[in-house]
Amino acid sequence: MCGIVGYVGSQQAAPLLLEGLTRLEHRGYDSAGIGVLSGSGLKVAKRAGRVRDLAAALPARFAGRVGIGHTRWATHGPPTDANAHPQVDAAGRVAVVHNGIIDNAAALRRRLSDEGVQLASDTDTEVIAHLVARSVAATLEERVAAALALVEGTYGLAIVHADFPDRIVVARNGSPLLIGVGDKEMYVASDLAALVRYTTTVAHLQDGEMATVTAAGFTTYRQDLTATVTPAEELDIDPGAYDVGEHASFMHKEMLEQPDSAEHVLRGRLDDRFGTAHLGGLGLDARETREVRRVKVLGCGSAYYVGEMGASLIEELARVPADAEAASEFRYRNPVIDPDTLYVAVSQSGETADTLLAVQEIRRKGGRVVGLVNVVGSAIARECDGGIYLHAGPEVAVASTKALTNMFLGFALLALQLGRVRDLSIADGHRLIAGLRALPAQIGEVLKREEELRPLAERLAAAESLFFVGRVRGYPVAREGAQKFKEISYRHAEAYPTSELKHGPLALVSPAVPTVAIVPDDELVERNVGALHEIAARGGPLVVVTHAGVDLGEVAERPDVHRIDVPASERELDPILLTIPLQLLAYQAAVHLGHDVDKPRNLAKSVTVE
């Protein structure tokens, strides 16, 4: 969601801050601002709108070698210049940028107002600037710690003070924050994307930790100012992975990277000798794996829908009960945590607040939880008992494509390992391994049909509302397809089990409401084809995502019925191949409508607040 950057060194801060903010635009935001320290004090510039609007409005003389910047995704108050960050105190000496939510902000605002402070914004963040400014402690570190002692909520914070012009003080509680190490210069960011052009040596702050960052280095400590040890590490990341290159958008680039990223997640994890998977990161031996009696998958948005695909895979191959649940709802229903259940948390960023809180609830109650995450060192990865890294590489576009595909493959590996310690035969293990090895090339085959699908996507873009339907393995595919279409094309798209059409949705089927139907060549193909005839009989246009051998009957002759064939895989693995054309349709529809596919309105890549 919101993005933080900071710089301390010998260069002018403003250009570096603007560059960093531009690289954080994918996180979602509605205003931007920077603040720099110089010999003349603190200077702040901020604007509602895009980073380019801020850059255009920046004064010609905006010098300073210490600074912080922010892109804001509005929570408290609308996106206005006044509500943009940095937030400052009344004297203009303290500037604060903040990701997260201060839960007791209303009470703190009342307290400050009662003490005569004139609040200039609607934000929760402003209270921190005033609390730091009103502290009489000797050091900036003590002033920030005293302010945070009064604060309840989540935060990633970067704070500068005109009286301490050589440093930035940062703090983390529930919202990610990184420190980048350069040559006699240092960086701060909420996302590695803001740093990789300058350094890939980073330190990850832990929850409850603070740090002082100067040009000479950084020190870390707890809120009581007792020292901690947080080493910096060199990350094996190609900075070019964060550049869009020759592609029109990051989403387009990331879709086309799926064959390669799929190979990466499978590499070294397939065991031909025993027909199983090697997942040493789970921390489960064969005996512990056999003791698992149930699997519960937790995720949000697309991670939730691919979690449904994964739960189905696990139940089918391992024959243990498995289901998926929205992590955002999980802990609020006071769930029963079963010691025989393996909980699986799914998140591309590894920082999704709802999923992280669910993980913490499980661990608090003694449950075992493993993670499927894409970002090494992320909060969820650190909190879990073990996990499977997705190795998808950086994913910048808000709409997940290659990370989602690798999540599915991670679940396939998990299901294979769980199944082989139970009743899944070695022959079935070998069959699935062959299917997994074939998937990257098959994904590539589907992606080559991009231009062929463009006219169909443009027809769907003309509709104000669409249905996506599928059964059993196909239903989570339909849910993910509807998610992709609505989040980047802004068309209303709703998913239903095909079997539920007669129980309500059929009332809305008409020539104005197309249906995208998932019809794999499986044991339910006849029932699925029957449902297509019901839709066609009501005049509903159809897009059928299916396999080459499926006979759609006379419905295939209708001019408003369009067919997309995907390569056939093993039946258990079909869902991911059926998903790929839905990504292409959503992308082409959004492009046709003139939308920014990488930064859909009101959405963010990494949702770090509840």
Side-chain angles (χ1 to χ4, degrees):
M1 301 182 81
C2 308
I4 288 173
V5 295
Y7 174 78
V8 183
S10 59
Q11 301 185 64
Q12 289 298 318
L16 297 174
L17 297 175
L18 290 171
E19 167 68 20
L21 293 180
T22 299
R23 288 177 170 264
L24 294 182
E25 288 189 303
H26 68 282
R27 294 175 65 95
Y29 72 103
D30 43 48
S31 61
I34 61 174
V36 299
L37 291 176
S38 67
S40 59
L42 173 66
K43 291 176 284 190
V44 170
K46 51 187 185 175
R47 288 289 184 276
R50 295 299 189 188
V51 174
R52 60 177 176 268
D53 301 322
L54 170 66
L58 207 64
R61 295 181 62 82
F62 205 77
R65 291 179 169 80
V66 176
I68 53 177
H70 193 261
T71 51
R72 175 177 183 256
W73 190 82
T75 55
H76 292 69
T80 63
D81 291 357
N83 288 335
H85 295 201
Q87 288 293 311
V88 299
D89 70 307
R93 305 288 289 173
V94 178
V96 179
V97 294
H98 167 222
N99 292 352
I101 292 179
I102 305 304
D103 295 331
N104 63 335
L108 291 172
R109 286 174 66 89
R110 285 194 298 270
R111 169 179 163 176
L112 289 166
S113 294
D114 291 343
E115 294 174 358
V117 174
Q118 297 292 317
L119 295 164
S121 78
D122 304 310
T123 68
D124 53 343
T125 305
E126 186 184 355
V127 301
I128 300 173
H130 291 295
L131 291 173
V132 171
R134 292 168 73 80
S135 171
V136 295
T139 67
L140 180 56
E141 291 78 2
E142 290 173 315
R143 296 183 189 191
V144 174
L148 294 183
L150 302 173
V151 165
E152 299 169 9
T154 59
Y155 49 79
L157 289 168
I159 301 172
V160 294
H161 195 307
D163 293 347
F164 306 91
D166 66 334
R167 66 194 56 207
I168 304 171
V169 171
V170 298
R172 169 181 176 149
N173 184 45
S175 192
L177 212 55
L178 312 173
I179 298 171
V181 179
D183 182 12
K184 297 180 181 178
E185 57 186 359
M186 300 289 292
Y187 304 86
V188 173
S190 54
D191 189 304
L192 187 61
L195 302 181
V196 290
R197 183 174 175 182
Y198 308 108
T199 181
T200 54
T201 303
V202 302
H204 292 81
L205 283 191
Q206 308 295 316
D207 277 348
E209 200 168 30
M210 298 172 58
T212 298
V213 183
T214 67
F218 71 97
T219 56
T220 59
Y221 41 90
R222 299 181 186 88
Q223 194 173 306
D224 63 5
L225 303 183
T226 57
T228 60
V229 177
T230 303
E233 57 181 332
E234 180 70 27
L235 300 182
D236 183 18
I237 290 179
D238 175 13
Y242 286 93
D243 291 325
V244 73
E246 62 186 11
H247 299 277
S249 65
F250 277 104
M251 184 177 178
H252 188 256
K253 174 177 181 278
E254 289 155 9
M255 283 193 301
L256 298 186
E257 288 174 344
Q258 287 177 106
D260 289 338
S261 66
E263 286 186 352
H264 291 162
V265 74
L266 296 174
R267 189 171 298 153
R269 287 171 163 171
L270 297 175
D271 183 342
D272 291 290
R273 181 182 179 189
F274 295 107
T276 188
H278 280 310
L279 295 173
L282 289 180
L284 293 170
D285 61 25
R287 184 183 299 275
E288 290 172 312
T289 303
R290 282 195 63 84
E291 290 172 354
V292 173
R293 293 289 174 263
R294 178 180 292 273
V295 176
K296 165 74 78 173
V297 181
L298 300 168
C300 297
S302 289
Y304 169 36
Y305 302 140
V306 79
E308 291 185 314
M309 300 180 203
S312 178
L313 258 175
I314 290 166
E315 197 159 276
E316 197 167 359
L317 298 181
R319 304 308 300 155
V320 295
D323 69 297
E325 182 175 346
S328 52
E329 293 292 306
F330 176 74
R331 72 189 183 106
Y332 289 106
R333 62 176 182 80
N334 192 23
V336 176
I337 303 301
D338 184 348
D340 295 331
T341 295
L342 179 65
Y343 297 88
V344 184
V346 193
S347 168
Q348 188 283 136
S349 68
E351 303 286 353
T352 309
D354 290 309
T355 308
L356 176 59
L357 291 167
V359 168
Q360 292 170 340
E361 178 74 359
I362 293 163
R363 287 178 59 83
R364 188 181 68 81
K365 293 183 174 180
R368 178 188 287 270
V369 58
V370 298
L372 262 69
V373 299
N374 195 38
V375 179
V376 175
S378 57
I380 292 173
R382 293 196 305 270
E383 286 276 355
C384 287
D385 298 296
I388 304 170
Y389 279 117
L390 301 177
H391 298 301
E395 187 176 70
V396 175
V398 169
S400 182
T401 53
K402 63 176 181 174
L404 179 134
T405 294
N406 281 26
M407 288 173 188
F408 178 88
L409 295 175
F411 277 117
L413 294 168
L414 176 59
L416 181 58
Q417 179 168 309
L418 290 173
R420 286 292 291 125
V421 299
R422 287 179 170 77
D423 300 325
L424 188 72
S425 70
I426 191 168
D428 276 331
H430 286 146
R431 173 179 65 82
L432 290 161
I433 285 174
L436 286 167
R437 284 208 170 99
L439 276 175
Q442 291 176 315
I443 292 170
E445 287 180 45
V446 180
L447 291 170
K448 289 176 183 176
R449 301 181 61 188
E450 178 184 359
E451 288 305 312
E452 176 188 336
L453 296 180
R454 185 189 301 273
L456 180 53
E458 292 175 359
R459 291 191 192 99
L460 294 179
E464 293 296 327
S465 186
L466 302 88
F467 279 128
F468 285 71
V469 298
R471 293 193 72 166
V472 188
R473 298 185 194 100
Y475 177 51
V477 176
R479 296 192 77 183
E480 168 56 20
Q483 169 88 350
K484 278 289 171 294
F485 211 89
K486 74 180 70 170
E487 67 182 340
I488 61 172
S489 77
Y490 314 148
R491 294 302 193 229
H492 174 254
E494 194 167 1
Y496 274 96
T498 310
S499 54
E500 284 290 296
L501 277 170
K502 293 189 291 292
H503 300 283
L506 207 57
L508 294 179
V509 169
S510 75
V513 181
T515 298
V516 179
I518 313 302
V519 185
D521 188 5
D522 61 13
E523 65 278 8
L524 291 169
V525 64
E526 291 181 1
R527 294 187 180 276
N528 278 325
V529 170
L532 301 184
H533 286 261
E534 294 174 359
I535 294 168
R538 276 80 180 172
L542 276 161
V543 174
V544 185
V545 184
T546 185
H547 293 121
V550 172
D551 182 3
L552 302 182
E554 62 268 23
V555 75
E557 305 303 319
R558 295 174 59 99
D560 58 353
V561 175
H562 304 275
R563 175 178 185 143
I564 303 171
D565 288 343
V566 301
S569 180
E570 300 301 326
R571 286 187 175 183
E572 299 91 339
L573 305 178
D574 276 334
I576 198 59
L577 286 170
L578 294 164
T579 299
I580 304 300
L582 304 184
Q583 297 175 355
L584 292 169
L585 289 173
Y587 173 79
Q588 295 290 2
V591 169
H592 176 68
L593 292 167
H595 301 322
D596 186 341
V597 294
D598 286 341
K599 299 184 283 291
R601 68 187 185 200
N602 303 331
L603 299 179
K605 182 64 178 173
S606 181
V607 184
T608 54
V609 297
E610 286 191 86

Short mmCIF file of all heavy atoms in Angstrom, two decimals, residues 280-323:
data_model
loop_
_atom_site.label_atom_id
_atom_site.label_comp_id
_atom_site.label_asym_id
_atom_site.label_seq_id
_atom_site.Cartn_x
_atom_site.Cartn_y
_atom_site.Cartn_z
N GLY A 280 12.40 -29.40 1.73
CA GLY A 280 13.11 -29.36 3.00
C GLY A 280 12.76 -28.16 3.85
O GLY A 280 12.85 -28.21 5.08
N GLY A 281 12.33 -27.07 3.19
CA GLY A 281 11.99 -25.87 3.94
C GLY A 281 10.76 -26.00 4.82
O GLY A 281 10.53 -25.16 5.69
N LEU A 282 9.97 -27.04 4.61
CA LEU A 282 8.78 -27.23 5.45
C LEU A 282 9.15 -27.61 6.87
O LEU A 282 8.37 -27.36 7.80
CB LEU A 282 7.87 -28.32 4.86
CG LEU A 282 7.12 -27.99 3.59
CD1 LEU A 282 6.28 -29.18 3.17
CD2 LEU A 282 6.22 -26.77 3.77
N GLY A 283 10.30 -28.25 7.05
CA GLY A 283 10.69 -28.69 8.39
C GLY A 283 9.86 -29.86 8.90
O GLY A 283 9.70 -30.03 10.11
N LEU A 284 9.32 -30.67 7.99
CA LEU A 284 8.48 -31.82 8.36
C LEU A 284 9.15 -33.10 7.86
O LEU A 284 9.39 -33.24 6.66
CB LEU A 284 7.09 -31.71 7.74
CG LEU A 284 6.17 -30.60 8.21
CD1 LEU A 284 4.94 -30.52 7.31
CD2 LEU A 284 5.74 -30.84 9.64
N ASP A 285 9.43 -34.04 8.77
CA ASP A 285 9.92 -35.34 8.32
C ASP A 285 8.73 -36.22 7.96
O ASP A 285 7.57 -35.82 8.11
CB ASP A 285 10.83 -35.99 9.35
CG ASP A 285 10.14 -36.26 10.69
OD1 ASP A 285 8.90 -36.40 10.71
OD2 ASP A 285 10.84 -36.34 11.71
N ALA A 286 9.00 -37.44 7.49
CA ALA A 286 7.92 -38.32 7.03
C ALA A 286 6.93 -38.63 8.13
O ALA A 286 5.71 -38.67 7.91
CB ALA A 286 8.52 -39.60 6.45
N ARG A 287 7.44 -38.86 9.35
CA ARG A 287 6.53 -39.19 10.46
C ARG A 287 5.61 -37.99 10.78
O ARG A 287 4.40 -38.16 10.95
CB ARG A 287 7.34 -39.57 11.70
CG ARG A 287 6.47 -40.02 12.89
CD ARG A 287 7.34 -40.32 14.11
NE ARG A 287 8.27 -41.40 13.81
CZ ARG A 287 7.97 -42.70 13.93
NH1 ARG A 287 6.74 -43.05 14.29
NH2 ARG A 287 8.88 -43.60 13.68
N GLU A 288 6.18 -36.80 10.84
CA GLU A 288 5.36 -35.61 11.11
C GLU A 288 4.37 -35.35 10.00
O GLU A 288 3.23 -34.93 10.25
CB GLU A 288 6.27 -34.40 11.30
CG GLU A 288 7.10 -34.42 12.57
CD GLU A 288 8.12 -33.30 12.61
OE1 GLU A 288 8.84 -33.11 11.60
OE2 GLU A 288 8.20 -32.61 13.64
N THR A 289 4.79 -35.62 8.77
CA THR A 289 3.89 -35.42 7.64
C THR A 289 2.69 -36.36 7.72
O THR A 289 1.55 -35.97 7.46
CB THR A 289 4.64 -35.64 6.31
OG1 THR A 289 5.75 -34.74 6.26
CG2 THR A 289 3.74 -35.38 5.12
N ARG A 290 2.93 -37.63 8.13
CA ARG A 290 1.83 -38.59 8.25
C ARG A 290 0.87 -38.21 9.37
O ARG A 290 -0.31 -38.61 9.35
CB ARG A 290 2.36 -40.00 8.50
CG ARG A 290 2.89 -40.70 7.27
CD ARG A 290 3.05 -42.19 7.52
NE ARG A 290 1.77 -42.82 7.80
CZ ARG A 290 0.90 -43.24 6.88
NH1 ARG A 290 1.17 -43.06 5.59
NH2 ARG A 290 -0.23 -43.82 7.23
N GLU A 291 1.35 -37.46 10.34
CA GLU A 291 0.50 -37.09 11.48
C GLU A 291 -0.46 -35.95 11.15
O GLU A 291 -1.35 -35.63 11.94
CB GLU A 291 1.37 -36.71 12.67
CG GLU A 291 2.10 -37.90 13.28
CD GLU A 291 3.11 -37.51 14.33
OE1 GLU A 291 3.32 -36.28 14.51
OE2 GLU A 291 3.69 -38.40 14.97
N VAL A 292 -0.29 -35.31 9.99
CA VAL A 292 -1.21 -34.25 9.58
C VAL A 292 -2.56 -34.86 9.26
O VAL A 292 -2.66 -35.74 8.41
CB VAL A 292 -0.65 -33.49 8.35
CG1 VAL A 292 -1.68 -32.50 7.82
CG2 VAL A 292 0.65 -32.76 8.72
N ARG A 293 -3.59 -34.38 9.91
CA ARG A 293 -4.94 -34.92 9.72
C ARG A 293 -5.85 -33.98 8.94
O ARG A 293 -6.92 -34.35 8.50
CB ARG A 293 -5.57 -35.23 11.08
CG ARG A 293 -4.89 -36.36 11.82
CD ARG A 293 -5.17 -37.70 11.14
NE ARG A 293 -4.42 -38.79 11.74
CZ ARG A 293 -3.27 -39.27 11.28
NH1 ARG A 293 -2.73 -38.71 10.19
NH2 ARG A 293 -2.66 -40.26 11.86
N ARG A 294 -5.45 -32.73 8.80
CA ARG A 294 -6.25 -31.75 8.07
C ARG A 294 -5.33 -30.63 7.62
O ARG A 294 -4.31 -30.36 8.26
CB ARG A 294 -7.36 -31.20 8.97
CG ARG A 294 -8.24 -30.12 8.33
CD ARG A 294 -9.33 -29.65 9.30
NE ARG A 294 -10.29 -30.69 9.56
CZ ARG A 294 -11.37 -30.92 8.79
NH1 ARG A 294 -11.60 -30.18 7.73
NH2 ARG A 294 -12.20 -31.89 9.10
N VAL A 295 -5.68 -29.98 6.50
CA VAL A 295 -4.91 -28.84 6.01
C VAL A 295 -5.87 -27.65 5.85
O VAL A 295 -6.95 -27.78 5.27
CB VAL A 295 -4.23 -29.14 4.67
CG1 VAL A 295 -3.51 -27.90 4.13
CG2 VAL A 295 -3.25 -30.31 4.80
N LYS A 296 -5.47 -26.51 6.39
CA LYS A 296 -6.25 -25.28 6.28
C LYS A 296 -5.38 -24.24 5.60
O LYS A 296 -4.28 -23.92 6.07
CB LYS A 296 -6.67 -24.78 7.66
CG LYS A 296 -7.17 -23.36 7.71
CD LYS A 296 -8.57 -23.21 7.12
CE LYS A 296 -9.64 -23.67 8.08
NZ LYS A 296 -11.00 -23.37 7.56
N VAL A 297 -5.86 -23.71 4.46
CA VAL A 297 -5.13 -22.71 3.69
C VAL A 297 -5.72 -21.34 3.96
O VAL A 297 -6.95 -21.16 3.96
CB VAL A 297 -5.19 -23.02 2.18
CG1 VAL A 297 -4.39 -21.99 1.39
CG2 VAL A 297 -4.67 -24.43 1.90
N LEU A 298 -4.85 -20.34 4.17
CA LEU A 298 -5.28 -18.98 4.47
C LEU A 298 -4.60 -18.00 3.51
O LEU A 298 -3.39 -18.03 3.33
CB LEU A 298 -4.91 -18.61 5.91
CG LEU A 298 -5.55 -19.49 6.99
CD1 LEU A 298 -4.89 -19.23 8.33
CD2 LEU A 298 -7.04 -19.25 7.08
N GLY A 299 -5.40 -17.16 2.89
CA GLY A 299 -4.87 -16.15 1.99
C GLY A 299 -5.91 -15.08 1.74
O GLY A 299 -7.06 -15.20 2.18
N CYS A 300 -5.55 -14.05 1.01
CA CYS A 300 -6.47 -12.95 0.68
C CYS A 300 -6.44 -12.70 -0.82
O CYS A 300 -5.39 -12.79 -1.46
CB CYS A 300 -6.06 -11.67 1.42
SG CYS A 300 -6.15 -11.80 3.22
N GLY A 301 -7.59 -12.37 -1.39
CA GLY A 301 -7.67 -12.07 -2.80
C GLY A 301 -7.27 -13.26 -3.65
O GLY A 301 -7.70 -14.40 -3.43
N SER A 302 -6.39 -13.03 -4.62
CA SER A 302 -5.96 -14.10 -5.51
C SER A 302 -5.27 -15.22 -4.74
O SER A 302 -5.37 -16.39 -5.12
CB SER A 302 -5.02 -13.54 -6.59
OG SER A 302 -5.74 -12.74 -7.51
N ALA A 303 -4.55 -14.89 -3.66
CA ALA A 303 -3.91 -15.93 -2.86
C ALA A 303 -4.95 -16.85 -2.22
O ALA A 303 -4.71 -18.05 -2.05
CB ALA A 303 -3.04 -15.29 -1.78
N TYR A 304 -6.10 -16.31 -1.87
CA TYR A 304 -7.20 -17.12 -1.34
C TYR A 304 -7.75 -18.05 -2.41
O TYR A 304 -7.97 -19.25 -2.18
CB TYR A 304 -8.27 -16.18 -0.79
CG TYR A 304 -9.60 -16.81 -0.43
CD1 TYR A 304 -9.69 -18.08 0.12
CD2 TYR A 304 -10.77 -16.08 -0.60
CE1 TYR A 304 -10.92 -18.63 0.45
CE2 TYR A 304 -12.01 -16.62 -0.27
CZ TYR A 304 -12.08 -17.89 0.24
OH TYR A 304 -13.30 -18.43 0.58
N TYR A 305 -7.93 -17.52 -3.63
CA TYR A 305 -8.51 -18.34 -4.69
C TYR A 305 -7.56 -19.44 -5.13
O TYR A 305 -7.98 -20.58 -5.37
CB TYR A 305 -8.90 -17.47 -5.88
CG TYR A 305 -9.88 -16.38 -5.50
CD1 TYR A 305 -9.77 -15.10 -6.02
CD2 TYR A 305 -10.90 -16.62 -4.58
CE1 TYR A 305 -10.66 -14.09 -5.65
CE2 TYR A 305 -11.78 -15.62 -4.21
CZ TYR A 305 -11.65 -14.36 -4.75
OH TYR A 305 -12.52 -13.37 -4.37
N VAL A 306 -6.27 -19.14 -5.23
CA VAL A 306 -5.33 -20.20 -5.56
C VAL A 306 -5.20 -21.16 -4.38
O VAL A 306 -4.92 -22.35 -4.55
CB VAL A 306 -3.96 -19.63 -5.99
CG1 VAL A 306 -3.12 -19.20 -4.80
CG2 VAL A 306 -3.19 -20.64 -6.83
N GLY A 307 -5.45 -20.66 -3.17
CA GLY A 307 -5.50 -21.54 -2.00
C GLY A 307 -6.63 -22.55 -2.11
O GLY A 307 -6.49 -23.71 -1.67
N GLU A 308 -7.76 -22.15 -2.70
CA GLU A 308 -8.85 -23.10 -2.95
C GLU A 308 -8.41 -24.17 -3.94
O GLU A 308 -8.74 -25.35 -3.78
CB GLU A 308 -10.07 -22.36 -3.46
CG GLU A 308 -10.74 -21.48 -2.43
CD GLU A 308 -12.03 -20.86 -2.95
OE1 GLU A 308 -12.03 -20.35 -4.09
OE2 GLU A 308 -13.03 -20.89 -2.22
N MET A 309 -7.69 -23.75 -4.99
CA MET A 309 -7.15 -24.74 -5.92
C MET A 309 -6.21 -25.70 -5.19
O MET A 309 -6.24 -26.91 -5.40
CB MET A 309 -6.38 -24.06 -7.06
CG MET A 309 -7.18 -23.10 -7.92
SD MET A 309 -6.12 -22.37 -9.22
CE MET A 309 -7.03 -20.86 -9.59
N GLY A 310 -5.36 -25.13 -4.31
CA GLY A 310 -4.40 -25.94 -3.58
C GLY A 310 -5.06 -26.90 -2.61
O GLY A 310 -4.65 -28.06 -2.50
N ALA A 311 -6.10 -26.44 -1.93
CA ALA A 311 -6.81 -27.32 -1.00
C ALA A 311 -7.43 -28.49 -1.74
O ALA A 311 -7.40 -29.64 -1.27
CB ALA A 311 -7.87 -26.52 -0.25
N SER A 312 -8.00 -28.22 -2.91
CA SER A 312 -8.57 -29.30 -3.72
C SER A 312 -7.50 -30.30 -4.14
O SER A 312 -7.71 -31.52 -4.10
CB SER A 312 -9.26 -28.69 -4.95
OG SER A 312 -9.78 -29.70 -5.79
N LEU A 313 -6.34 -29.79 -4.54
CA LEU A 313 -5.22 -30.66 -4.90
C LEU A 313 -4.81 -31.55 -3.73
O LEU A 313 -4.60 -32.76 -3.89
CB LEU A 313 -4.03 -29.80 -5.31
CG LEU A 313 -3.69 -29.61 -6.78
CD1 LEU A 313 -2.54 -28.62 -6.91
CD2 LEU A 313 -3.33 -30.92 -7.43
N ILE A 314 -4.65 -30.96 -2.57
CA ILE A 314 -4.21 -31.69 -1.39
C ILE A 314 -5.23 -32.77 -1.03
O ILE A 314 -4.87 -33.93 -0.74
CB ILE A 314 -3.98 -30.73 -0.22
CG1 ILE A 314 -2.74 -29.87 -0.51
CG2 ILE A 314 -3.82 -31.48 1.10
CD1 ILE A 314 -2.60 -28.66 0.41
N GLU A 315 -6.50 -32.42 -1.04
CA GLU A 315 -7.53 -33.39 -0.68
C GLU A 315 -7.56 -34.54 -1.69
O GLU A 315 -7.72 -35.70 -1.32
CB GLU A 315 -8.89 -32.70 -0.61
CG GLU A 315 -9.93 -33.50 0.14
CD GLU A 315 -11.07 -32.62 0.64
OE1 GLU A 315 -10.93 -32.03 1.72
OE2 GLU A 315 -12.09 -32.55 -0.07
N GLU A 316 -7.37 -34.20 -2.95
CA GLU A 316 -7.44 -35.21 -4.01
C GLU A 316 -6.24 -36.16 -3.98
O GLU A 316 -6.39 -37.37 -4.15
CB GLU A 316 -7.53 -34.51 -5.36
CG GLU A 316 -7.99 -35.37 -6.50
CD GLU A 316 -8.37 -34.56 -7.73
OE1 GLU A 316 -8.28 -33.31 -7.69
OE2 GLU A 316 -8.74 -35.18 -8.72
N LEU A 317 -5.05 -35.62 -3.77
CA LEU A 317 -3.84 -36.43 -3.83
C LEU A 317 -3.46 -37.06 -2.50
O LEU A 317 -2.98 -38.19 -2.47
CB LEU A 317 -2.67 -35.58 -4.35
CG LEU A 317 -2.81 -35.02 -5.76
CD1 LEU A 317 -1.57 -34.23 -6.14
CD2 LEU A 317 -3.06 -36.13 -6.77
N ALA A 318 -3.63 -36.32 -1.42
CA ALA A 318 -3.21 -36.82 -0.10
C ALA A 318 -4.34 -37.48 0.67
O ALA A 318 -4.10 -38.16 1.66
CB ALA A 318 -2.61 -35.68 0.72
N ARG A 319 -5.58 -37.24 0.23
CA ARG A 319 -6.77 -37.80 0.88
C ARG A 319 -6.85 -37.41 2.35
O ARG A 319 -7.16 -38.21 3.22
CB ARG A 319 -6.83 -39.33 0.74
CG ARG A 319 -6.78 -39.85 -0.69
CD ARG A 319 -7.81 -39.21 -1.58
NE ARG A 319 -9.17 -39.43 -1.14
CZ ARG A 319 -10.19 -38.61 -1.42
NH1 ARG A 319 -9.98 -37.52 -2.15
NH2 ARG A 319 -11.40 -38.88 -0.99
N VAL A 320 -6.55 -36.15 2.63
CA VAL A 320 -6.82 -35.57 3.95
C VAL A 320 -7.75 -34.38 3.73
O VAL A 320 -7.68 -33.71 2.71
CB VAL A 320 -5.53 -35.11 4.67
CG1 VAL A 320 -4.65 -36.30 4.98
CG2 VAL A 320 -4.78 -34.07 3.88
N PRO A 321 -8.66 -34.13 4.67
CA PRO A 321 -9.56 -32.98 4.50
C PRO A 321 -8.76 -31.69 4.37
O PRO A 321 -7.81 -31.45 5.13
CB PRO A 321 -10.39 -33.00 5.79
CG PRO A 321 -10.27 -34.38 6.33
CD PRO A 321 -8.91 -34.87 5.92
N ALA A 322 -9.13 -30.87 3.41
CA ALA A 322 -8.43 -29.61 3.19
C ALA A 322 -9.42 -28.57 2.71
O ALA A 322 -10.33 -28.88 1.93
CB ALA A 322 -7.30 -29.78 2.17
N ASP A 323 -9.26 -27.35 3.18
CA ASP A 323 -10.12 -26.26 2.72
C ASP A 323 -9.34 -24.95 2.80
O ASP A 323 -8.29 -24.89 3.45
CB ASP A 323 -11.42 -26.18 3.52
CG ASP A 323 -11.18 -25.74 4.95
OD1 ASP A 323 -10.49 -26.46 5.68
OD2 ASP A 323 -11.66 -24.66 5.35
#
